[in-house]
Amino acid sequence: MNNQLSRPFLLAAALVGSLGLYSLTTRPAVVAPDADNAGLKLPAGFGALVVAETGARARHLAVTPQGTIYVKLNRPKDGKGILALKPGAGGKATVTGGFGSYGGTGIYAKGGYLYASSDEDVYRYQLDAKGEVTNPAQPEKIISGLLNRGEHESKSIVLDNAGNLYVNVGAYSNSCQEKDREKGSMGRPGCPILDSAGGIWQFRADKANQTYGTGTRFATGLRNVVGLDWNAQNNQLFVMQHGRDQLHDIFPALYDTKQSAELPAECLYALTKGANAGWPYLYYDPVKKQKILAPEYGGDGKKLADAKYLDPAVAYPAHTAPDGLLFYTGTMFPAKYRNGAFIAFHGSWNRAPEPQKGYYVVFQPFQNGKPSGPWEVFADNFAGSAEKVASGRADHKPCGLAQGPDGSLYVSDDKAGTIYRIVYNQK
Amino acid sequence: MFVKKRSALLVLLLLSSGAAFAQKKPVAKAPAKQPAAGVSAAVLAAGKAVYTQNCLSCHQADGGGVDGLNPPLSKTDYVLGDKPRLINVLVNGLRGVDIDGEPYHNAMPAQTHLTDQQMADVLTFVRNSFGNKASAVTVGEVKAVRAAGKK
C-alpha cells in the first residue's frame, strides 16, 4: 500500500469495492496513515498517523486489548494525571476522559489491570471486559514511599509473567559526587545513594500497601532507567540506562567538549537478580568498548573499571536519553521485527556545545531473547528538522512506546503531547 | 590547566576580537544589541566566555534551558529580579525550587570555582542576553554576597 494515497481516494476505493482489503464492510477498522505520515520518516512500507493531540506532557502509555489508550501525564492536566482515549474512525482516537490526580511517568496494562505510577507510589486499577477502568477514583495503592529527591525522579514500571512488578528508582545524583555536578568534586566513598536508589526494585503486582522498604532490590548500579521491558522469550528484564552527564564540565583537564559529547554510551542491560551495572564507579566507552573507571573515583579516561560489573548488552550514542523500551511481539510488522526491541530516544541536551542528537525511535534486532545485529533508526524526524535536532529545540520528543492489539506501534511525545501510531501496510 | 585557560581568556579579552568564539560550534548567542546603560562590550565578552565554559551545557547556547530539567534564563524572575538572590544562585547552587511556576529536575551546582569578577561578568552577560536587559552586576555586589557566606 502506498502511504501517499489520500483518505478520499481510499474512501472512494472502498465504496467502489475495487480494493477488497480496504472495504468498509470486511474491515471496519481501517487504519489510514496521515498523508505526511505524521511528519515521521519511516522504512518503506510503514505509515504513521497522529492518533490524538493531548496538548499535555505525555510520558508512557498503555493500550488495552480492546484498543483503549491510557496515557500517563508528567503533570496533571485539568486535574487528571491519566488520559483515556477511545478508538475512533481511521485508527485515530479521542480523549474521552481522565482520572488520577497525580503526575508521573509509568503506566502498564496486564492481566486485567492497569498499573500507573506517581514519582513516589504505584497504583492499580481494574479493567473490565471492554478495557475500561472500573475504579478510576479508588485505585488500590500497591506501593508507596518510593524515594523521590527531585533528580531522576520518574518511576517506570513493568510486570513479568510471574506476578512481579519492577520499578526504577533513579539515583538523585549525576555521579555520586560529594557535591552533585560541581566542578572537580570527587565521588562519595562506597556511594551511599545505592542503598536506597540507583537500581531496580521488585514488588508483588497483586499486593496492596507494600512500602519501599519491603521491596527487593533486584539490580543496582543503574544511574537512571526510564525505558524498561520484560523479554518473554528469554524471561528476562531489559533496561535502558541514562548514562552520566558532564565529563568535561566537571573534569575539564581530562575531557574536552567533543569527548564529553560522545561519552559515555547510553546502554541496554539484560538484568538478572543481583546484577550490578557499576554506576557511579564506571561509565561505558562505546569507542573503546570498555568499562572505564569514573574520574570521580580516580579514573583518567583510560583506566579500566573493575571487570566484575555487568557489561552492557548494547551501547547507543551518548546522552540521547532512552525513555521507552518495548519488545515487539505483534504480527503486523514484517518478521524481522518480531521479538526485537524498539527504543524511544527522547533526545540529548548534554552534548552542547556539540550538536544535539536523538529524538527518534530505534529498532534493535533480537534473536532468541538476545540482541543480534546492528540497531537502526526506525522512526525519525520527531524534531521537525535537522536544525531543530542540532539545537535541541525539537517539536516533539518521543518518550513512551506501546503495542496495540493489531500490532500497531504507539509512540507518545512529552513535548507537544502528540500520540503517534505506526502501522505496516505492505502485504 | 585552569591557569592556562584563564590566561588564554585574558589574551582573548585583550585582543577583544571575539573571533575565537565565532567557531562553527554553537556558542552562547550574541548579547542584545543594546545592553543596559553602563554595560561595556568587554564585560559582555568576558561574561560570554564564562557562560560558554560553565553554563552553556545546561542552560544551552540560546539560554532557553532544557524542558523539565534546566530552566531558561530569559526574563525569569531570578535573572531580572533581586541581585543578591541571583548572585546567591551561583554562590550556593539551587535545587528543588520552582522557577516561574515550573519544576526543574536537575541540580544547579554552586559555581564557587569562579572568581568574583567572573561571577559579575557572567551575570551581567545573562542579564543582557537572551532577550534580557537589566543593570550590570558589579564585583562589589558579588563580594558582598560571598562575604555573607553560604546560606
Side-chain angles (χ1 to χ4, degrees):
Chain A
M1 144 88 194
N2 184 331
N3 302 323
Q4 264 65 2
L5 290 185
S6 68
R7 204 94 62 76
F9 175 82
L10 280 180
L11 270 179
L15 288 174
V16 172
S18 62
L19 285 176
L21 191 57
Y22 295 101
S23 150
L24 294 171
T25 50
T26 58
R27 202 171 167 184
V30 170
V31 178
D34 292 345
D36 66 347
N37 284 331
L40 301 185
K41 290 202 185 92
L42 299 163
F46 286 89
L49 58 144
V50 170
V51 173
E53 296 287 2
T54 65
R57 298 172 198 175
R59 294 288 285 172
H60 286 174
L61 77 175
V63 187
T64 69
Q66 299 77 16
T68 303
I69 307 164
Y70 292 103
V71 180
K72 187 77 202 77
L73 304 183
N74 194 36
R75 295 179 85 185
K77 192 186 177 203
D78 305 326
K80 298 176 187 355
I82 299 172
L83 296 181
L85 286 75
K86 293 283 160 56
K92 304 215 174 242
T94 331
V95 177
T96 53
F99 53 93
S101 58
Y102 51 94
T105 289
I107 194 156
Y108 195 75
K110 193 177 176 96
Y113 289 95
L114 180 72
Y115 300 81
S117 66
S118 68
D119 293 340
E120 296 88 21
D121 307 318
V122 182
Y123 301 88
R124 178 167 93 152
Y125 300 84
Q126 191 127 32
L127 293 168
D128 66 15
K130 290 186 287 182
E132 284 173 29
V133 166
T134 60
N135 54 338
Q138 292 96 24
E140 258 181 285
K141 194 189 243 190
I142 57 171
I143 306 163
S144 62
L146 297 168
L147 194 72
N148 171 12
R149 296 237 183 127
E151 189 174 351
H152 301 149
E153 74 291 353
S154 69
K155 305 291 183 288
S156 301
I157 51 175
V158 72
L159 271 70
D160 64 14
N161 291 325
N164 297 304
L165 183 146
Y166 300 84
V167 53
N168 168 62
V169 181
Y172 48 93
S173 167
N174 176 36
S175 49
C176 208
Q177 291 171 281
E178 295 285 355
K179 292 180 174 167
D180 191 22
R181 296 178 191 262
E182 281 189 26
K183 207 180 280 295
S185 174
M186 297 305 282
R188 299 168 71 185
C191 181
I193 292 174
L194 290 170
D195 295 344
S196 60
I200 304 292
W201 265 253
Q202 185 192 48
F203 295 89
R204 290 299 300 173
D206 59 357
K207 208 171 142 200
N209 301 320
Q210 299 167 88
T211 56
Y212 190 17
T214 63
T216 304
R217 191 175 70 175
F218 183 79
T220 189
L222 290 158
R223 179 176 174 273
N224 186 33
V225 166
V226 186
L228 76 180
D229 199 12
W230 187 259
N231 183 296
Q233 271 200 317
N234 215 23
N235 223 19
Q236 189 167 24
L237 179 66
F238 282 77
V239 302
M240 290 294 316
Q241 177 182 239
H242 283 220
R244 51 107 18 102
D245 301 326
Q246 295 185 275
L247 282 165
H248 167 74
D249 288 347
I250 301 170
F251 293 97
L254 295 175
Y255 302 88
D256 63 24
T257 51
K258 269 216 154 64
Q259 290 167 316
S260 200
E262 301 298 342
L263 294 174
E266 304 285 50
C267 292
L268 173 69
Y269 288 102
L271 300 182
T272 44
K273 195 167 180 169
N276 186 341
W279 178 90
Y281 309 115
L282 62 81
Y283 66 82
Y284 192 75
D285 183 325
V287 179
K288 296 194 172 97
K289 296 192 167 47
Q290 254 157 350
K291 292 171 297 201
I292 305 292
L293 186 63
E296 287 84 354
Y297 290 90
D300 59 0
K302 296 181 200 76
K303 280 186 211 159
L304 299 187
D306 193 328
K308 73 181 177 192
Y309 296 113
L310 184 64
D311 275 313
V314 186
Y316 303 89
H319 310 302
T320 48
D323 277 359
L325 174 66
L326 175 86
F327 287 106
Y328 184 79
T329 56
T331 53
M332 177 196 267
F333 291 4
K336 85 166 206 190
Y337 294 97
R338 207 150 312 141
N339 300 311
F342 287 101
I343 309 166
F345 286 91
H346 194 241
S348 69
W349 58 271
N350 198 233
R351 296 175 69 92
E354 295 297 310
Q356 305 295 353
K357 200 173 196 158
Y359 315 101
Y360 47 47
V361 175
V362 151
F363 177 67
Q364 170 64 59
F366 265 67
Q367 213 153 38
N368 305 318
K370 294 207 159 50
S372 122
W375 58 273
E376 58 199 62
V377 173
F378 173 74
D380 205 353
N381 201 39
F382 286 89
S385 71
E387 294 72 38
K388 288 176 181 179
V389 170
S391 66
R393 299 288 167 229
D395 292 343
H396 304 273
K397 296 183 177 181
C399 183
L401 298 170
Q403 184 182 311
D406 67 346
S408 298
L409 177 68
Y410 289 80
V411 186
S412 54
D413 144 39
D414 70 354
K415 173 77 184 165
T418 305
I419 308 297
Y420 297 87
R421 178 173 181 176
I422 301 174
V423 294
Y424 186 71
N425 278 317
Q426 223 160 47
K427 291 295 164 225
Chain B
M1 169 74 195
F2 264 106
V3 177
K4 244 190 245 159
K5 201 160 267 165
R6 206 83 64 70
S7 47
L9 279 178
L10 271 178
V11 170
L12 285 175
L13 290 177
L14 288 175
L15 292 179
S16 178
S17 66
F21 297 106
Q23 317 154 351
K24 273 154 274 146
K25 284 183 201 174
V27 294
K29 285 229 172 96
K33 284 268 141 51
Q34 299 230 292
V39 174
S40 77
V43 164
L44 290 178
K48 179 172 163 176
V50 177
Y51 183 86
T52 302
Q53 179 65 31
N54 298 280
C55 324
L56 186 148
S57 66
C58 290
H59 293 287
Q60 304 290 300
D62 60 4
V66 180
D67 300 324
L69 283 173
N70 307 318
L73 298 176
S74 45
K75 297 184 178 154
T76 62
D77 198 35
Y78 266 89
V79 169
L80 296 180
D82 182 49
K83 283 199 250 178
R85 185 178 69 160
L86 174 62
I87 296 163
N88 205 45
V89 172
L90 300 195
V91 174
N92 284 301
L94 198 67
R95 211 179 162 120
V97 173
D98 284 7
I99 306 300
D100 294 351
E102 282 287 324
Y104 292 92
H105 293 286
N106 201 355
M108 161 85 200
Q111 304 288 315
T112 42
H113 59 281
L114 299 180
T115 62
D116 296 348
Q117 182 74 55
Q118 286 175 314
M119 283 196 189
D121 290 349
V122 75
L123 291 177
T124 301
F125 165 76
V126 166
R127 279 163 64 87
N128 288 281
S129 305
F130 320 131
N132 303 322
K133 184 169 176 175
S135 62
V137 171
T138 66
V139 173
E141 286 165 331
V142 172
K143 267 199 191 357
V145 171
R146 285 186 113 162
K150 301 228 162 197
K151 269 185 299 195

